[in-house]
C-alpha cells in the first residue's frame, strides 16, 4: 500500500489548483490517501515559523511524506510526485512544448499579482484601496511585522516584510503623484502580460495544451488562467467568459484578444472530470 502523505493547501492560493487537479486525476482520496492541512493566506499563516520550517519560501502548496527527505514546495514538482504514484497519466506527449507552457505560466512576468494588486491610474488605485485585496495585504503585513519583531534578523522576514510593504505602503498613502511611477510600471507589465497570453496561445497544441491527452501542461495552465479571470472580476460561475480579462488588458493593449486556440483548449479542458471537480467556479 502506498504511503499516506500530507498536503498544505488554501482556497486563497492560486497554485494549489495544480495539486488538486492531479489528486483528482489520480483518484486519490482525502483521509485515505492523504491528509490535509489548511493554511490561511489572508491571515499570513504561511509566514508562521512552523510553516516556514516546512516551506522556506512561505508559499502554498507544500507536500510532505514519510519517504521524502524534505518537503516538496513547488506546485509543478508536487504534481509530478503525485503523478508518479502508479502509472503516470500526466506525462506530456510533447515534453518540450509542455516545458515551455509550464515555464511561461510560472514566470514572474505572468504573475497574476499584477491583476490583483496593481493599478494604472488613480481610479484603479482607489478601487483597489476599497477592495478585499487591501484587507488581504494588510493581513499579511500585520503577520510579517509580528514575526519580524520576534526575529528581527531572520532573512526571510526581513526581505518578505519589505517586499510586502512596498505595495502596502502605496495602499496606505493618499492617491496622488506618489503613485505615478507605480502606474507606469503597471502599464508596462500589462503589455508584457498581453504578449505572454499571445505566446501561450501559440504554444497550445490542441485539443489539449501539449497534445491529444491531458497532461501536466494543462494542469499548470488551468489554475493560472482561472486566477487571472477571477482577478479581472469575471463572475466566478462564468468560467467561459473571457470578456472581463480582455477588457482589463485592452486598457493598455487596445487590440488584445484571447486567442482562438486558448478558447478552444479551455472549452476542451473544462469538460474533464478534474476541472469540473476542482474549478466549478473560478478562483
Amino acid at each position: 500500500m502506498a504511503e499516506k502523505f500530507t498536503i498544505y493547501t488554501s482556497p486563497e492560493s492560486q497554485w494549489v489548483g495544480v495539486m488538486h487537479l492531479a489528486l483528482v486525476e489520480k483518484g486519490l482520496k482525502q483521509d485515505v490517501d492523504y491528509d490535509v492541512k489548511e493554511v490561511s493566506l489572508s491571515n499570513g499563516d504561511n509566514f508562521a515559523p512552523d510553516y516556514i520550517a516546512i516551506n522556506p519560501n512561505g508559499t502554498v502548496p507544500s507536500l510532505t511524506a514519510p519517504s521524502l527527505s524534505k518537503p516538496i514546495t513547488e506546485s509543478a514538482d508536487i504534481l509530478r510526485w503525485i503523478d508518479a504514484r502508479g502509472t503516470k497519466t500526466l506525462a506530456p506527449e510533447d515534453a518540450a512544448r509542455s516545458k515551455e507552457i509550464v515555464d511561461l505560466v510560472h514566470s514572474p512576468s505572468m504573475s497574476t499579482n499584477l491583476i490583483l494588486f496593481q493599478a494604472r491610474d488613480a481610479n484603479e488605485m482607489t478601487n483597489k484601496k476599497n477592495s478585499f485585496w487591501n484587507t488581504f495585504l494588510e493581513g499579511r503585513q500585520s503577520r510579517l511585522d509580528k514575526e519580524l519583531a520576534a526575529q528581527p534578523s531572520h532573512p526571510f522576514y526581513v526581505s518578505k516584510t519589505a517586499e510586502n510593504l512596498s505595495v502596502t505602503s502605496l495602499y496606505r498613502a493618499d492617491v496622488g503623484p506618489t503613485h505615478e511611477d507605480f502606474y507606469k510600471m503597471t502599464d508596462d507589465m500589462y503589455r508584457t502580460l498581453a504578449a505572454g497570453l499571445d505566446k501561450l496561445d501559440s504554444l497550445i497544441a490542441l485539443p489539449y495544451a501539449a497534445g491529444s491527452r491531458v497532461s501536466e501542461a494543462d494542469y499548470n495552465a488551468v489554475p493560472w488562467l482561472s486566477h487571472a479571470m477571477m482577478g479581472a472580476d469575471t463572475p466566478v460561475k462564468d468560467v467561459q467568459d473571457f470578456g472581463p480579462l480582455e477588457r482589463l488588458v485592452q486598457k493598455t493593449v487596445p487590440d488584445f484578444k484571447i486567442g482562438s486556440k486558448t478558447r478552444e483548449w479551455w472549452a476542451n479542458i473544462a469538460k474533464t472530470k478534474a476541472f469540473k471537480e476542482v474549478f466549478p467556479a473560478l478562483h
Side-chain angles (χ1 to χ4, degrees):
M1 182 177 179
E3 65 179 338
K4 194 176 187 182
F5 57 97
T6 299
I7 63 168
Y8 295 78
T9 186
S10 171
E12 301 165 302
S13 166
Q14 167 182 327
W15 293 117
V16 299
V18 178
M19 174 176 68
H20 286 288
L21 288 165
L23 291 169
V24 174
E25 183 73 27
K26 302 297 287 190
L28 300 176
K29 304 298 182 184
Q30 181 176 337
D31 300 326
V32 176
D33 301 296
Y34 60 92
D35 293 320
V36 174
K37 294 197 175 182
E38 296 283 345
V39 182
S40 172
L41 301 189
S42 54
N43 292 335
D45 290 347
N46 52 311
F47 302 141
D50 58 347
Y51 187 71
I52 294 298
I54 294 166
N55 186 328
N57 300 317
T59 55
V60 180
S62 299
L63 183 149
T64 60
S67 65
L68 290 170
S69 60
K70 62 180 182 178
I72 308 176
T73 59
E74 297 292 339
S75 56
D77 295 334
I78 290 172
L79 176 148
R80 289 168 187 150
W81 188 87
I82 292 170
D83 192 40
R85 292 169 66 94
T87 303
K88 288 187 178 181
T89 58
L90 295 172
E93 290 175 301
D94 187 336
R97 182 188 301 271
S98 177
K99 185 178 186 305
E100 279 199 77
I101 291 171
V102 172
D103 288 349
L104 175 65
V105 298
H106 284 279
S107 65
S109 65
M110 295 289 278
S111 172
T112 55
N113 285 348
L114 166 66
I115 297 171
L116 304 183
F117 303 124
Q118 295 186 214
R120 288 167 287 192
D121 55 37
N123 184 57
E124 281 190 3
M125 192 69 231
T126 300
N127 289 338
K128 292 294 184 183
K129 283 166 67 74
N130 293 327
S131 74
F132 161 77
W133 301 115
N134 192 355
T135 304
F136 181 86
L137 287 168
E138 286 290 352
R140 288 162 58 89
Q141 193 68 51
S142 177
R143 184 57 175 266
L144 285 165
D145 289 343
K146 174 187 173 183
E147 300 299 348
L148 181 63
Q151 301 184 68
S153 61
H154 193 294
F156 174 83
Y157 295 123
V158 170
S159 63
K160 186 57 87 171
T161 301
E163 176 188 321
N164 199 72
L165 187 60
S166 68
V167 179
T168 304
S169 61
L170 290 167
Y171 276 67
R172 291 174 176 174
D174 292 337
V175 176
T178 57
H179 292 81
E180 291 299 327
D181 288 344
F182 184 56
Y183 300 156
K184 183 181 184 304
M185 177 183 71
T186 300
D187 205 43
D188 289 343
M189 291 172 72
Y190 269 104
R191 291 187 183 88
T192 302
L193 178 69
L197 281 161
D198 288 343
K199 182 176 181 181
L200 176 63
D201 191 72
S202 73
L203 288 170
I204 291 172
L206 293 177
Y208 299 108
S212 64
R213 62 173 185 263
V214 175
S215 73
E216 62 181 42
D218 300 280
Y219 286 172
N220 278 272
V222 163
W224 180 88
L225 187 52
S226 173
H227 209 60
M229 292 169 71
M230 179 275 295
D233 292 329
T234 309
V236 294
K237 292 290 186 180
D238 294 343
V239 297
Q240 298 296 328
D241 183 7
F242 289 109
L245 179 59
E246 286 182 328
R247 289 189 290 273
L248 187 70
V249 178
Q250 284 166 358
K251 184 174 176 179
T252 294
V253 185
D255 60 350
F256 173 78
K257 289 284 188 182
I258 295 292
S260 60
K261 290 203 296 181
T262 302
R263 290 174 177 273
E264 184 175 345
W265 161 71
W266 190 253
N268 292 338
I269 198 69
K271 295 173 185 175
T272 63
K273 177 179 182 292
F275 186 102
K276 290 177 181 177
E277 187 165 328
V278 180
F279 289 93
L282 301 169
H283 57 84

